[in-house]
Amino acid sequence: MSTIQFLQTPTSQAWLDQALANLDTVLLDHSHCERKAAGVALNLMCRYPSSEKLVRALTAIAQEELGHFELVNQWLERRKVPLKPLPAPPYGAGLSAQVRRQEPLRMLDSLLVAALIEARSHERLGLLAAHCPEPDLAKFYSSLMASEARHYGAYWVLATTYFDRETVNTRLLELSEVESKLLSTLHPEPRIHS
């Protein structure tokens, strides 16, 4: 296992080199990631409105993700990088394809996929914080790391709230293997999850 809980393989040096050579594109993709993360939390709240612990936890996450979205957008504005669509790498769709469609398995898989994505975000923002040649941007990435760790922990706690721990851990292992395979070939375009 890599040093980040839930992740089976650490991020490659090739990803870090690609990201550092394309900081503006990675920042733009980061903006999209924060917006999507808020959307994931909101969608789960809408799908499971009677799950009180889930609604409460994900309300906080959605608010925090939107706050991060605004902060990243301020960085883009400072760097004169316009907001625009970016083609997504296969990572998110590849993980979403693993979500089983029947309840309650759909809920379990949705929570664990979100946990894995947040765990990978935590790891990669940490790499950017440690290696970014621009001190202010490195500090910004560092400032986001704790919340990413909190988010992946929150999704795991929710999974263990609604499902027994053995079921959660077995499925998490299966999904984390898929997650590692999705990142085993570097996407040609720089992205947070490429």
Side-chain angles (χ1 to χ4, degrees), residues 15-30:
W15 177 85
L16 182 58
D17 294 343
Q18 183 192 59
L20 293 175
N22 297 277
L23 286 171
D24 285 350
T25 303
V26 168
L27 258 176
L28 179 58
D29 186 56
H30 187 180

Side-chain angles (χ1 to χ4, degrees), residues 27-28 30-32 66-79 81 83 140:
L27 258 176
L28 179 58
H30 187 180
S31 168
H32 291 298
L66 282 174
H68 293 168
F69 176 60
E70 172 59 21
L71 291 173
V72 176
N73 289 347
Q74 288 172 14
W75 270 96
L76 291 170
E77 190 176 343
R78 214 174 300 158
R79 296 167 77 92
V81 178
L83 284 175
F140 172 64

